[in-house]
């Protein structure tokens, strides 16, 4: 018997309004690209001949050493440090709470301007540490299996609020280099995934600028191969992602027919599976060494049959890819159940025999609601009952 797929709410097709700084607020140097930083220094009185050097010095203090006070930037004169202190600020999101899971996963609830909250998750693994960061307050996509999707979109995060999540994790983990000591060879935060709250490609400019900062070799210095952007399939922005960011790409796929994907991932009604796959085949950085990751959450009786697995293999044929199978992370009031483990393994076996890597993602941080699809600010969560969340997720 086929279990009916709950109908997701229609995609919130809203204009994502950026935050405007209050009048009189001093500019925040965090989140500025190198070009923006230099322009801001010149605009506020730094001579043009000095601006490039000053930009480089400040950049290193902010993003290589993780310094938060202008007074500590000791290779700048006292007068220039005083000028910076009067003219600019160094501002990051504020940690409201930090939870540590039994498996070592850390979840940070962060407060940003306007009193809004977002969540960031750090996942330690053997030989690497992955930071899952958010790009919006809430989400516009209302994917019916995703807890974050039950929270309405409030606004885009600024570049400062996006890169600030990486900086806060480094602060908490003591992951900055120290002046006068050798550069660290290993990083606790070695990888960044844009898989937290929000759809990154609906906030393209801020995500791009933040990732430029994260990838800069004289600062945080993560290579583009260490950054993965996950999208539900915002087709017009996919080529721009390759050209202007150049990071790795993951697709929240989750279904093998438009009928099911329309319900699970409502943005499919705008850009269906055929349109999405065409964009991926044209992806400028597509090569055997840079596979596209297809994320596929396993929902019992919905998308987990052998027929689905065979259809998935046919759909992605010709695209260098791996398929991440994600056991559904259940949350209070969720309208789905996790596929049985035997069913997930059988599904993975079909994909593996077709020549694709098909790792099954180990759920992490479930005890602190930090697992994939579970992010949703504590404040928002606390305002709703289980019944309300279930009704919203099911389209009620």
């Amino acid at each position: 018997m086929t279990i009916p797929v709950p109908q997701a709410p229609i995609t919130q097709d809203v204009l994502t309004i950026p935050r405007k700084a209050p009048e009189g607020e001093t500019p925040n140097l965090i989140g500025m690209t190198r070009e923006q930083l230099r322009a801001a220094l010149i605009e506020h009185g730094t001579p043009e001949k000095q601006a490039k050097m000053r930009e480089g010095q400040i950049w290193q203090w902010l993003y290589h050493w993780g310094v938060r006070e202008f007074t500590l930037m000791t290779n700048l004169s006292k007068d220039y440090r005083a000028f910076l202190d009067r003219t600019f600020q160094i501002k990051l999101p504020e940690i409201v709470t930090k939870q540590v899971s039994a498996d070592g996963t850390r979840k940070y609830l962060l407060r940003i301007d306007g009193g809004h909250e977002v969540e960031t998750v750090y996942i330690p693994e053997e030989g690497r540490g992955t930071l899952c960061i958010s790009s919006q307050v809430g989400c516009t996509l209302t994917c019916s299996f995703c807890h974050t999707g039950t929270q309405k979109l409030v606004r885009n995060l600024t570049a400062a609020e996006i890169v600030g999540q990486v900086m806060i994790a480094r602060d908490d983990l003591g992951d900055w280099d120290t002046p006068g000591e050798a550069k660290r060879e290993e990083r606790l935060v070695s990888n960044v995934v844009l898989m937290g709250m929000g759809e990154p490609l609906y906030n393209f400019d801020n995500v791009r600028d933040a990732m430029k900062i994260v990838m800069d070799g004289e600062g945080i210095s993560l290579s583009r191969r260490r950054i993965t952007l996950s999208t539900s399939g915002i087709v017009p922005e996919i080529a721009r992602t390759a050209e202007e960011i150049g990071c790795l790409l993951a697709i929240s796929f989750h279904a093998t027919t438009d009928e099911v994907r329309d319900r699970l991932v409502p943005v499919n009604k705008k850009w269906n599976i055929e349109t999405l796959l065409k964009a991926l085949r044209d992806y400028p950085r597509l090569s055997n060494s840079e596979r596209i990751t297809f994320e596929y959450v396993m929902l019992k009786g919905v998308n987990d049959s052998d027929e689905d697995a065979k259809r998935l293999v046919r759909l992605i044929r010709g695209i260098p890819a791996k398929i991440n199978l994600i056991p559904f992370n259940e949350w209070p009031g969720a309208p789905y159940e996790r596929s049985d483990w035997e069913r997930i393994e059988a599904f993975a076996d079909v994909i593996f025999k077709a020549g694709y890597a098909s790792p099954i993602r180990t759920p992490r941080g479930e005890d602190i609601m930090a697992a994939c699809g579970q992010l949703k600010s504590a404040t928002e969560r606390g305002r709703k009952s289980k019944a309300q969340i279930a009704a919203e997720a099911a389209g009620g």
Side-chain angles (χ1 to χ4, degrees):
M1 182 180 110
T2 303
I3 296 176
V5 181
Q7 176 66 50
I10 191 70
T11 302
Q12 302 163 28
D13 190 10
V14 297
L15 179 66
T16 51
I17 301 172
R19 174 185 179 267
K20 286 188 177 179
E23 200 166 327
E25 184 177 297
T26 54
N28 185 10
L29 294 187
I30 301 299
M32 291 186 185
T33 62
R34 281 185 175 273
E35 297 77 14
Q36 291 166 344
L37 174 55
R38 193 184 317 163
L41 294 175
I42 292 168
E43 180 187 346
H44 289 86
T46 300
E48 286 195 39
K49 289 182 179 179
Q50 294 181 18
K52 185 170 178 56
M53 178 181 68
R54 298 297 185 217
E55 165 221 307
Q57 291 169 319
I58 295 167
W59 190 272
Q60 187 177 51
W61 284 113
L62 293 177
Y63 299 119
H64 185 68
W65 309 122
V67 163
R68 297 286 180 274
E69 297 178 30
F70 294 113
T71 55
L72 299 177
M73 299 182 179
T74 51
N75 60 351
L76 301 172
S77 72
K78 284 187 178 179
D79 285 348
Y80 196 72
R81 282 180 268 167
F83 153 74
L84 291 174
D85 199 39
R86 288 193 307 272
T87 313
F88 301 103
Q89 61 176 324
I90 300 169
K91 184 178 182 183
L92 298 180
E94 168 197 351
I95 296 179
V96 179
T97 59
K98 178 181 79 173
Q99 294 174 274
V100 182
S101 167
D103 64 18
T105 299
R106 299 183 181 207
K107 183 171 76 169
Y108 307 96
L109 178 65
L110 305 178
R111 183 168 293 131
I112 59 173
D113 285 324
H116 308 299
E117 293 172 353
V118 295
E119 291 182 336
T120 302
V121 175
Y122 173 70
I123 305 161
E125 299 171 276
E126 187 70 36
R128 64 191 275 166
T130 301
L131 190 70
C132 179
I133 63 176
S134 297
S135 57
Q136 295 180 313
V137 186
C139 188
T140 186
L141 291 175
T142 61
C143 298
S144 59
F145 57 86
C146 179
H147 196 210
T148 313
T150 65
Q151 180 176 353
K152 291 181 180 178
L153 179 74
V154 177
R155 69 165 171 85
N156 285 338
L157 296 188
T158 65
E161 290 161 348
I162 296 169
V163 74
Q165 295 171 68
V166 180
M167 299 174 77
I168 279 173
R170 273 201 170 182
D171 286 353
D172 185 51
L173 295 163
D175 201 27
W176 296 103
D177 284 329
T178 303
E181 295 183 8
K183 186 175 181 179
R184 292 168 182 246
E185 294 301 319
E186 300 294 328
R187 289 286 176 199
L188 293 174
V189 179
S190 64
N191 295 69
V192 166
V193 294
L194 286 142
M195 297 181 183
M197 298 167 70
E199 165 55 63
L201 296 189
Y202 275 154
N203 187 16
F204 185 90
D205 289 353
N206 286 318
V207 166
R208 176 199 59 212
D209 289 352
M211 291 307 100
K212 278 185 179 179
I213 295 168
V214 170
M215 291 186 286
D216 188 286
E218 295 179 16
I220 293 171
S221 194
L222 293 184
S223 79
R224 64 181 185 82
R225 290 172 179 266
R226 296 272 187 173
I227 297 169
T228 301
L229 183 151
S230 176
T231 176
S232 294
I234 313 306
V235 167
E237 307 295 345
I238 286 176
R240 284 186 74 198
T241 302
E243 292 158 8
E244 298 182 35
I245 303 175
C247 61
L248 302 185
L249 192 66
I251 303 296
S252 294
F253 205 63
H254 310 308
T256 60
T257 68
D258 284 326
E259 179 187 7
V260 175
R261 196 165 191 268
D262 282 352
R263 293 170 176 167
L264 296 181
V265 188
V267 77
N268 195 70
K269 296 171 186 176
K270 284 187 175 181
W271 298 290
N272 65 11
I273 289 174
E274 182 182 357
T275 306
L276 174 58
L277 291 175
K278 182 180 185 308
L280 297 179
R281 287 192 169 88
D282 294 340
Y283 193 64
R285 290 195 182 275
L286 201 57
S287 71
N288 286 318
S289 63
E290 294 192 10
R291 297 175 296 179
I292 288 176
T293 299
F294 286 82
E295 297 165 313
Y296 198 95
V297 66
M298 301 297 295
L299 302 171
K300 187 173 184 176
V302 176
N303 64 353
D304 61 352
S305 68
D306 283 352
E307 290 71 27
D308 279 305
K310 292 170 185 174
R311 195 158 43 233
L312 178 59
V313 167
R314 289 197 300 272
L315 285 170
I316 67 171
R317 187 170 289 134
I319 300 174
K322 75 171 181 177
I323 295 93
N324 268 354
L325 300 179
I326 306 168
F328 175 56
N329 296 311
E330 297 182 22
W331 38 271
Y336 303 103
E337 294 178 48
R338 177 181 293 180
S339 300
D340 296 334
W341 194 253
E342 296 77 12
R343 178 89 301 271
I344 296 173
E345 289 185 325
F347 193 101
D349 192 51
V350 171
I351 294 167
F352 179 75
K353 285 177 177 173
Y356 293 96
S358 55
I360 301 170
R361 186 183 294 173
T362 304
R364 298 292 300 270
E366 288 187 287
D367 54 330
I368 57 171
M369 287 287 285
C372 181
Q374 290 185 342
L375 293 191
K376 186 178 169 74
S377 84
T379 303
E380 176 73 15
R381 204 157 42 230
R383 283 199 291 264
K384 294 182 180 179
S385 67
K386 292 181 182 181
Q388 282 177 298
I389 292 170
E392 287 180 7

